């Protein structure tokens, strides 16, 4: 009916938002680069803001998402914990399938 | 994995948001009550805010959503135009199916 597209935001909640598209995007980038600093930079977030977000997320989720690797020849970096990886993988699968389904329904109705 | 639920926001966009869950909720209430005043009141919006939102939506969509009925024994009220009704119906169907699909996928992944 119009030249329109669908927009969506999806998140997990438990007495408020727990984890959603924004944090997922950040963690995917951490996984890719092995560095929170690099990940934050890519999305225009300061390093301290990114740490603050991570702390908030970890408090809400009740488990640790990132392990900080200190030192070494590469000067350290950040890697996802096992539970962090699991969360990112699940959200990734969910988000991809959800996007496909939402677009299918969008085309059906609009 | 957690005691979590899914949250979602869905909207139509074309150079920015055009129509989404909030406006849909307002228009459904207008349809139910035949009154923008009543609809706005229910969601804690002032009457003038509601008119402003309506004007913004109509400008973005490029068509009229509400017809104002003036006077009569009931003191007037607001009804949806044909195109307004059509939009609400489509978004309603889309939203309902989308919610079902999203919850199915959510249970699959979490």
């Amino acid at each position: 009916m119009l030249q329109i597209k669908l927009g969506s935001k999806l998140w997990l909640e438990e007495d408020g938002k727990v984890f959603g598209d924004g944090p997922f995007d950040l963690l995917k980038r951490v996984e890719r680069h092995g560095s929170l600093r690099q990940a934050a930079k890519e999305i225009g977030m300061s390093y301290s803001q990114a740490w603050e977000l991570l702390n908030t997320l970890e408090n809400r989720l009740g488990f640790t998402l990132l392990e900080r690797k200190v030192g070494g020849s590469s000067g350290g970096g950040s890697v996802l914990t096992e539970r962090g990886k699991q969360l990112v993988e699940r959200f990734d699968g969910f988000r991809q399938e959800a996007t496909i389904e939402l677009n299918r329904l969008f085309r059906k109705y609009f």
Side-chain angles (χ1 to χ4, degrees), chain A:
Chain A
M1 76 193 282
L2 300 158
Q3 286 292 5
I4 46 175
K5 290 183 303 181
L6 178 65
S8 64
K9 264 187 192 277
L10 304 176
W11 65 87
L12 313 179
E13 62 180 26
E14 187 189 17
D15 290 333
K17 286 188 190 184
V18 171
F19 188 82
D21 290 323
F24 167 67
D25 181 45
L26 181 67
L27 292 185
K28 280 290 281 185
R29 291 171 196 272
V30 172
E31 211 169 25
R32 197 174 307 138
H33 300 298
S35 159
L36 181 62
R37 189 181 293 277
Q38 179 71 16
K41 200 178 165 187
E42 277 188 357
I43 55 173
M45 197 178 240
S46 76
Y47 190 47
S48 64
Q49 280 175 323
W51 269 114
E52 209 178 292
L53 174 58
L54 254 298
N55 284 335
T56 306
L57 290 171
E58 289 177 343
N59 283 334
R60 287 188 206 150
L61 289 162
F63 56 83
T64 308
L65 290 167
L66 278 200
E67 261 165 40
R68 189 163 183 181
K69 286 190 163 179
V70 185
S73 60
S74 64
S78 295
V79 290
L80 295 183
T81 60
E82 271 313 305
R83 294 192 74 177
K85 269 185 215 165
Q86 193 185 61
L87 178 64
V88 165
E89 254 169 48
R90 285 182 187 199
F91 198 87
D92 206 355
F94 168 68
R95 217 341 169 169
Q96 285 186 37
E97 271 204 65
T99 300
I100 290 166
E101 280 304 306
L102 288 175
N103 281 320
R104 183 181 65 77
L105 291 173
F106 175 66
R107 283 192 302 272
K108 177 177 167 186
Y109 284 96
F110 292 98

